[in-house]
Each structure stands twice: as structure tokens, then as C-alpha cells.
Amino acid sequence: SFTFGQRGSQPGFFNHPLDLTLNNTEDLLFITDHSNDRVQVFTAGGQFVRIIGNFTDVPFKLQGPVGICYTADDHLLISSYGTVCVLVFEEDGSFVSAIEGTQQGKNRFRGPCGVVMLSSGQIVINGGGHKLIV
């Protein structure tokens, strides 16, 4: 058992960490850092590795990340509360795609919080009182 990090905005520091997940080999830990608009990556032993977020060249910003999960095919699903979408990234932080929320229709959700991938490969998003299965 160990603890790491403290309150702040520098790499390795947090401002409202809300969720975490391990990669499939369990050697990297991904933590949503809600108020710093990023995900921080650490070794399983707590050593800071990198930041995912603060992109200028992607169509969706990572804004207020809440939920995160690691998929069987080595992707990260990150719910971005502020931009009302779930962003998909490679493990190295490269942007892949986005699942956008809408007020109506099939992708009806707002303020996505929780995100998980079922063993069937379906993605479940919880947000704004609505559950969406993609």
C-alpha cells in the first residue's frame, strides 16, 4: 500500500482525481484529474509517466474528465463531462475518436460520468440521468 500525489496542477499533482484504471498488463495506472482537464499516467508503483490531455490538434477537448476504462483492445475510454462526449485514445495518448452525446435520439446523454466496456464489447455510458449502450 502506498500513496502519491498532492493537490496542484503540476505533473504528478491532482485537482479532483475521480476515477482510475489499469492497463491490461497492469503496469500503468491512468487517473482522471477532473479540474486539471487531463488524465495522468503513472507506473503501478506510483512513478509519474505522462499526461493525456491539453490537445490543440484534436476535434474534441478533454474537459472535466470523470470516468475512465481500459478496453480489451488496448484503448482508453474517457468521459469528458465538459465537452459531452466519451473520447477514445491509444494507450500512448493518441486521439482515436469520440462518441458524442446529444439531447435526443440514439446517443442521448449529457454530462457523461461513468464509462465501462462489457465483456461483449459494448460500451455503457452513464450521464445526465440516461444510460447509453453503444
Side-chain angles (χ1 to χ4, degrees), residues 48-73:
F48 175 78
V49 176
R50 67 178 163 276
I51 290 173
I52 297 174
N54 304 320
F55 302 102
T56 57
D57 59 343
V58 299
F60 299 92
K61 299 281 185 219
L62 184 56
Q63 190 174 43
V66 179
I68 188 168
C69 78
Y70 200 88
T71 68
D73 62 350

Short mmCIF file of all heavy atoms in Angstrom, two decimals, residues 48-73:
data_model
loop_
_atom_site.label_atom_id
_atom_site.label_comp_id
_atom_site.label_asym_id
_atom_site.label_seq_id
_atom_site.Cartn_x
_atom_site.Cartn_y
_atom_site.Cartn_z
N PHE A 48 5.36 9.00 -11.92
CA PHE A 48 4.71 9.75 -12.99
C PHE A 48 5.33 9.40 -14.34
O PHE A 48 6.54 9.32 -14.47
CB PHE A 48 4.85 11.26 -12.74
CG PHE A 48 4.31 12.10 -13.87
CD1 PHE A 48 2.96 12.29 -14.01
CD2 PHE A 48 5.18 12.66 -14.80
CE1 PHE A 48 2.47 13.05 -15.07
CE2 PHE A 48 4.70 13.42 -15.85
CZ PHE A 48 3.34 13.61 -15.98
N VAL A 49 4.46 9.19 -15.37
CA VAL A 49 4.92 8.84 -16.71
C VAL A 49 4.60 9.95 -17.71
O VAL A 49 5.48 10.45 -18.39
CB VAL A 49 4.29 7.51 -17.19
CG1 VAL A 49 4.69 7.20 -18.63
CG2 VAL A 49 4.67 6.37 -16.27
N ARG A 50 3.31 10.35 -17.82
CA ARG A 50 2.92 11.37 -18.79
C ARG A 50 1.51 11.86 -18.50
O ARG A 50 0.80 11.32 -17.67
CB ARG A 50 3.00 10.83 -20.22
CG ARG A 50 1.99 9.74 -20.53
CD ARG A 50 2.08 9.26 -22.00
NE ARG A 50 1.41 7.99 -22.16
CZ ARG A 50 1.93 6.79 -21.93
NH1 ARG A 50 3.18 6.70 -21.52
NH2 ARG A 50 1.23 5.69 -22.09
N ILE A 51 1.12 12.87 -19.28
CA ILE A 51 -0.22 13.44 -19.21
C ILE A 51 -0.92 13.19 -20.53
O ILE A 51 -0.32 13.33 -21.60
CB ILE A 51 -0.15 14.96 -18.93
CG1 ILE A 51 0.34 15.20 -17.50
CG2 ILE A 51 -1.49 15.63 -19.18
CD1 ILE A 51 0.61 16.64 -17.17
N ILE A 52 -2.19 12.83 -20.45
CA ILE A 52 -3.06 12.77 -21.63
C ILE A 52 -4.04 13.92 -21.49
O ILE A 52 -4.76 14.01 -20.49
CB ILE A 52 -3.81 11.43 -21.70
CG1 ILE A 52 -2.81 10.27 -21.85
CG2 ILE A 52 -4.81 11.44 -22.84
CD1 ILE A 52 -3.46 8.89 -21.78
N GLY A 53 -4.07 14.79 -22.48
CA GLY A 53 -4.97 15.94 -22.44
C GLY A 53 -4.29 17.18 -22.96
O GLY A 53 -3.15 17.14 -23.41
N ASN A 54 -5.01 18.29 -22.90
CA ASN A 54 -4.49 19.59 -23.33
C ASN A 54 -4.04 19.57 -24.79
O ASN A 54 -2.98 20.09 -25.14
CB ASN A 54 -3.36 20.06 -22.42
CG ASN A 54 -3.77 20.13 -20.97
OD1 ASN A 54 -4.89 20.56 -20.66
ND2 ASN A 54 -2.92 19.70 -20.09
N PHE A 55 -4.85 18.94 -25.66
CA PHE A 55 -4.52 18.85 -27.07
C PHE A 55 -4.98 20.09 -27.82
O PHE A 55 -5.98 20.69 -27.47
CB PHE A 55 -5.21 17.63 -27.71
CG PHE A 55 -4.85 16.34 -27.04
CD1 PHE A 55 -5.71 15.73 -26.17
CD2 PHE A 55 -3.63 15.74 -27.31
CE1 PHE A 55 -5.38 14.54 -25.56
CE2 PHE A 55 -3.29 14.55 -26.70
CZ PHE A 55 -4.17 13.95 -25.83
N THR A 56 -4.28 20.44 -28.87
CA THR A 56 -4.70 21.54 -29.73
C THR A 56 -5.07 21.05 -31.11
O THR A 56 -5.68 21.78 -31.88
CB THR A 56 -3.56 22.59 -29.87
OG1 THR A 56 -2.40 21.93 -30.37
CG2 THR A 56 -3.26 23.23 -28.53
N ASP A 57 -4.74 19.81 -31.44
CA ASP A 57 -4.94 19.31 -32.79
C ASP A 57 -6.00 18.22 -32.90
O ASP A 57 -6.02 17.46 -33.84
CB ASP A 57 -3.62 18.79 -33.35
CG ASP A 57 -3.03 17.67 -32.51
OD1 ASP A 57 -3.45 17.51 -31.35
OD2 ASP A 57 -2.16 16.95 -33.01
N VAL A 58 -6.90 18.14 -31.93
CA VAL A 58 -7.98 17.15 -31.98
C VAL A 58 -9.32 17.89 -31.98
O VAL A 58 -9.43 18.99 -31.46
CB VAL A 58 -7.90 16.14 -30.81
CG1 VAL A 58 -6.61 15.35 -30.84
CG2 VAL A 58 -8.09 16.82 -29.48
N PRO A 59 -10.35 17.27 -32.56
CA PRO A 59 -11.64 17.96 -32.66
C PRO A 59 -12.38 18.11 -31.33
O PRO A 59 -13.28 18.94 -31.22
CB PRO A 59 -12.44 17.07 -33.61
CG PRO A 59 -11.79 15.74 -33.57
CD PRO A 59 -10.35 15.99 -33.25
N PHE A 60 -12.01 17.37 -30.31
CA PHE A 60 -12.69 17.44 -29.02
C PHE A 60 -11.67 17.64 -27.92
O PHE A 60 -10.65 16.96 -27.88
CB PHE A 60 -13.47 16.15 -28.74
CG PHE A 60 -14.54 15.88 -29.74
CD1 PHE A 60 -14.28 15.11 -30.85
CD2 PHE A 60 -15.80 16.41 -29.58
CE1 PHE A 60 -15.26 14.85 -31.79
CE2 PHE A 60 -16.80 16.17 -30.51
CZ PHE A 60 -16.53 15.39 -31.62
N LYS A 61 -11.96 18.54 -27.02
CA LYS A 61 -11.08 18.78 -25.87
C LYS A 61 -11.42 17.81 -24.75
O LYS A 61 -12.57 17.42 -24.59
CB LYS A 61 -11.26 20.21 -25.36
CG LYS A 61 -10.93 21.28 -26.37
CD LYS A 61 -9.46 21.46 -26.46
CE LYS A 61 -9.15 22.63 -27.38
NZ LYS A 61 -8.03 22.41 -28.23
N LEU A 62 -10.45 17.43 -23.98
CA LEU A 62 -10.67 16.67 -22.76
C LEU A 62 -10.96 17.70 -21.68
O LEU A 62 -10.07 18.40 -21.22
CB LEU A 62 -9.44 15.83 -22.43
CG LEU A 62 -9.53 14.90 -21.24
CD1 LEU A 62 -10.71 13.94 -21.39
CD2 LEU A 62 -8.24 14.14 -21.07
N GLN A 63 -12.24 17.82 -21.32
CA GLN A 63 -12.66 18.87 -20.40
C GLN A 63 -13.45 18.26 -19.25
O GLN A 63 -14.54 17.73 -19.46
CB GLN A 63 -13.50 19.90 -21.16
CG GLN A 63 -13.78 21.14 -20.40
CD GLN A 63 -14.48 22.15 -21.29
OE1 GLN A 63 -15.38 21.81 -22.05
NE2 GLN A 63 -14.07 23.39 -21.19
N GLY A 64 -12.88 18.30 -18.09
CA GLY A 64 -13.54 17.73 -16.91
C GLY A 64 -13.71 16.23 -16.99
O GLY A 64 -14.81 15.71 -16.83
N PRO A 65 -12.61 15.48 -17.23
CA PRO A 65 -12.75 14.03 -17.30
C PRO A 65 -13.24 13.45 -15.98
O PRO A 65 -12.81 13.89 -14.91
CB PRO A 65 -11.34 13.55 -17.64
CG PRO A 65 -10.44 14.62 -17.12
CD PRO A 65 -11.21 15.90 -17.29
N VAL A 66 -14.15 12.48 -16.09
CA VAL A 66 -14.72 11.86 -14.90
C VAL A 66 -14.41 10.37 -14.88
O VAL A 66 -13.61 9.91 -14.09
CB VAL A 66 -16.24 12.11 -14.82
CG1 VAL A 66 -16.83 11.43 -13.60
CG2 VAL A 66 -16.55 13.60 -14.81
N GLY A 67 -15.02 9.61 -15.79
CA GLY A 67 -14.85 8.17 -15.82
C GLY A 67 -13.79 7.75 -16.82
O GLY A 67 -13.52 8.44 -17.80
N ILE A 68 -13.21 6.59 -16.57
CA ILE A 68 -12.18 6.06 -17.47
C ILE A 68 -12.20 4.54 -17.40
O ILE A 68 -12.44 3.96 -16.34
CB ILE A 68 -10.78 6.61 -17.09
CG1 ILE A 68 -9.73 6.23 -18.14
CG2 ILE A 68 -10.38 6.18 -15.70
CD1 ILE A 68 -8.41 6.97 -17.98
N CYS A 69 -11.97 3.91 -18.53
CA CYS A 69 -11.78 2.45 -18.53
C CYS A 69 -10.81 2.08 -19.63
O CYS A 69 -10.65 2.79 -20.61
CB CYS A 69 -13.10 1.69 -18.65
SG CYS A 69 -13.80 1.60 -20.27
N TYR A 70 -10.17 0.96 -19.44
CA TYR A 70 -9.21 0.42 -20.39
C TYR A 70 -9.89 -0.76 -21.08
O TYR A 70 -10.48 -1.61 -20.41
CB TYR A 70 -7.93 -0.03 -19.68
CG TYR A 70 -6.75 -0.16 -20.59
CD1 TYR A 70 -5.93 0.93 -20.84
CD2 TYR A 70 -6.46 -1.36 -21.21
CE1 TYR A 70 -4.83 0.82 -21.68
CE2 TYR A 70 -5.37 -1.47 -22.06
CZ TYR A 70 -4.57 -0.38 -22.28
OH TYR A 70 -3.50 -0.48 -23.13
N THR A 71 -9.85 -0.81 -22.39
CA THR A 71 -10.58 -1.84 -23.13
C THR A 71 -9.70 -3.04 -23.44
O THR A 71 -8.47 -2.97 -23.35
CB THR A 71 -11.11 -1.27 -24.46
OG1 THR A 71 -10.00 -0.98 -25.32
CG2 THR A 71 -11.94 -0.01 -24.24
N ALA A 72 -10.34 -4.12 -23.84
CA ALA A 72 -9.61 -5.35 -24.18
C ALA A 72 -8.69 -5.16 -25.37
O ALA A 72 -7.68 -5.85 -25.51
CB ALA A 72 -10.60 -6.48 -24.46
N ASP A 73 -9.02 -4.18 -26.25
CA ASP A 73 -8.18 -3.93 -27.43
C ASP A 73 -7.21 -2.77 -27.21
O ASP A 73 -6.78 -2.11 -28.13
CB ASP A 73 -9.03 -3.72 -28.69
CG ASP A 73 -9.95 -2.51 -28.58
OD1 ASP A 73 -10.09 -1.92 -27.48
OD2 ASP A 73 -10.54 -2.16 -29.61
#
